[in-house]
Amino acid sequence: VQLQASGGGSVQAGGSLRLSCVASGSIFNVGPMSWYRQAPGKERELVATINGDSVPKYADSVKGRFSISRNNARYSVTLQMNNLKSEDMAVYYCYAASAIYYNGDRYHTGTDYWGQGTQVTVSS
């Protein structure tokens, strides 16, 4: 199972960006999916998470500005980021807590999948 993130870029403060992440492989099901971010010199932090029933949770710092959604049929997760601030600038990573996949003989459950980072730059 691999996660491929896209959609980062540069935007002025107050602008919007949309991040997408797709899981690929012989997938049967993907568990909770999340977006994390890591700014230079800081630890990676959870931005938003969404479970299999599409119930979202957000970090306080992004509530009301970011929206996470998922498409279970496409094994994808999206993060819509509005009213971006300079403090949102970071490398963003998508994450899947678990996935059930088929490996030629039977189904397996794997955990802790990370996508490659995508840079979000916010200029004031």
Side-chain angles (χ1 to χ4, degrees), residues 5-6 10 17 23 26 28 31-32 38 49 59 68 81 109 112-113 115 120:
S6 61
S10 297
L17 282 174
S26 300
F28 174 74
Q38 188 167 20
T49 190
I68 189 171
M81 305 183 294
T109 298
D112 297 323
Y113 298 98
V120 171

Side-chain angles (χ1 to χ4, degrees), residues 10 15 19 24 34 36 41 45 50 55 62 73 84 91-93 95 98-99 103 115 123-124:
S10 297
L19 305 182
S24 63
S34 306
Y36 285 77
E45 64 173 353
I50 187 166
V55 176
V62 306
L84 282 160
V91 177
Y92 283 70
Y93 300 88
Y95 170 80
S98 64
N103 194 25
S123 59
S124 56

Side-chain angles (χ1 to χ4, degrees), residues 26-47:
S26 300
I27 299 171
F28 174 74
N29 178 266
V30 180
M33 302 184 79
S34 306
W35 287 95
Y36 285 77
R37 67 186 181 188
Q38 188 167 20
K42 294 186 177 181
E43 293 187 353
R44 192 171 296 188
E45 64 173 353
L46 177 64
V47 176

Side-chain angles (χ1 to χ4, degrees), residues 47-69:
V47 176
T49 190
I50 187 166
N51 67 10
D53 294 324
S54 293
V55 176
K57 290 184 179 179
Y58 300 94
D60 288 342
S61 59
V62 306
K63 281 181 180 177
R65 300 188 297 119
F66 290 12
S67 178
I68 189 171
S69 60

